[in-house]
Amino acid sequence: MQKLIELHQDVVVLSPGTVDALIAKGSGDAALLYLYLLRHNGFYDPQEVLRDTHWERLRLDSALLHLRELGLVGQDAAPPALKTASAPPDKENAPEYSTADITEVLEQPDTAFAQLLHLVEGALGKKLGLRDLKLLYELLDYLALPPDVILTLVQWQIECYEKQYGPGRRPSMTVIRSKAYYWKQRGIDNLDAVEAFLKQDQLMQTQIGQLMAACHVAGREPTDGERQHLTRWVEWGFPPETVAYAYDITVTNTGRFSWSYCNKILQSWHEKGLHTLSQAKSERQLNSRKGGKRPVPNAPAPAQPRPEPTAEEKARQAEQSVRQTQWIMDFLKNVPQDDAPKGPR
């Protein structure tokens, strides 16, 4: 049954479109963060937000990414790389567990490791050998990751592997161990942090797919090298239409698509703070005008008409002509008759 709820007369102006977008997203954190930003006139200091909201960093980053996905914050609001306050455990200092250590743990069926092992083997579809058992126990004992976090990590890696290599493909425990250290270094060691990370990763994969389409790559997953470029472009804050423009320039200039050539174009724009399509086009048009057209060589100057000779020059020319004619006549008179030219017989 509907009822009218009396509200205080506080004024926060939101357009109906913005309200609908926040409701459709279904993220209370995103809505709360947006209200926080409005209250502070858009000023964003992560440390102050964390203090005022009592959130963890990954929760804040997840809410910020939702707002960015909705287009309610600018491209420059991307969360920075996360760092932990203290140095996490590293692989080099990991203990070497003996067979006796693993056997002792497995002899206690009610331990967290025994229950975790049963679920992990079910997810991977195989029994783990001794080496893999040691690696799994390392995640629980040395990294101190909770069992539910480890299980979620395994399931996430299975999804990634099937997407990249095909149905039925499973990651090795060595790969899972590397990802576990990666999570630990980023402070992803509880379910709330895991949920925030997976949302962030899902958004990243969606954006990578959009940039792949902008590069006319479809029907397959990106290679490791391609993924590095695509991830970098997402982190730089380039939307698909700007990447598509860089693609066109690359093909026009080189006759084919080159990831490294396209990356240089985008890197140049990023260093200048140019990320939208209009900014990139304006920059290119400006450079074109600065370069200008090559100057056309000057046409040869037309020949100047000779000046009319003076009366004195005309007289001198006439006298010279008479002398030449007289010389020719005198020459012909002195030529012997035998040498004179003969007419037709």
Side-chain angles (χ1 to χ4, degrees), residues 112-113 115-116 119-120 140 145-153:
F113 180 71
Q115 297 174 4
L116 174 65
L119 295 174
V120 169
L140 185 67
L145 291 176
D148 49 5
V149 171
I150 297 175
L151 182 60
T152 304
L153 169 63

Side-chain angles (χ1 to χ4, degrees), residues 192-209:
D192 289 338
V194 169
E195 181 181 2
F197 168 78
L198 293 180
K199 286 180 180 179
Q200 183 176 337
D201 181 72
Q202 183 179 13
L203 177 59
M204 171 68 76
Q205 300 311 316
T206 300
Q207 292 174 316
I208 285 178

Side-chain angles (χ1 to χ4, degrees), residues 89-155:
D90 60 77
K91 298 178 184 179
E92 301 300 326
N93 295 326
E96 296 184 5
Y97 298 101
S98 65
T99 303
D101 294 332
I102 302 301
T103 302
E104 181 180 355
V105 175
L106 291 178
E107 288 177 349
Q108 305 173 24
D110 295 333
T111 60
F113 180 71
Q115 297 174 4
L116 174 65
L117 175 60
H118 174 73
L119 295 174
V120 169
E121 288 181 335
L124 294 176
K126 66 175 184 179
K127 288 288 185 181
L128 298 186
L130 179 60
R131 179 176 177 276
D132 289 343
L133 288 172
K134 293 179 180 180
L135 295 179
L136 181 61
Y137 187 64
E138 179 183 331
L139 309 186
L140 185 67
D141 180 65
Y142 177 62
L143 285 185
L145 291 176
D148 49 5
V149 171
I150 297 175
L151 182 60
T152 304
L153 169 63
V154 172
Q155 293 170 338

Side-chain angles (χ1 to χ4, degrees), residues 261-277:
Y261 191 96
C262 189
N263 183 74
K264 290 180 180 178
I265 295 174
L266 293 172
Q267 182 177 1
S268 173
W269 291 343
H270 175 65
E271 292 173 350
K272 298 175 182 177
L274 310 175
H275 297 93
T276 66
L277 178 59

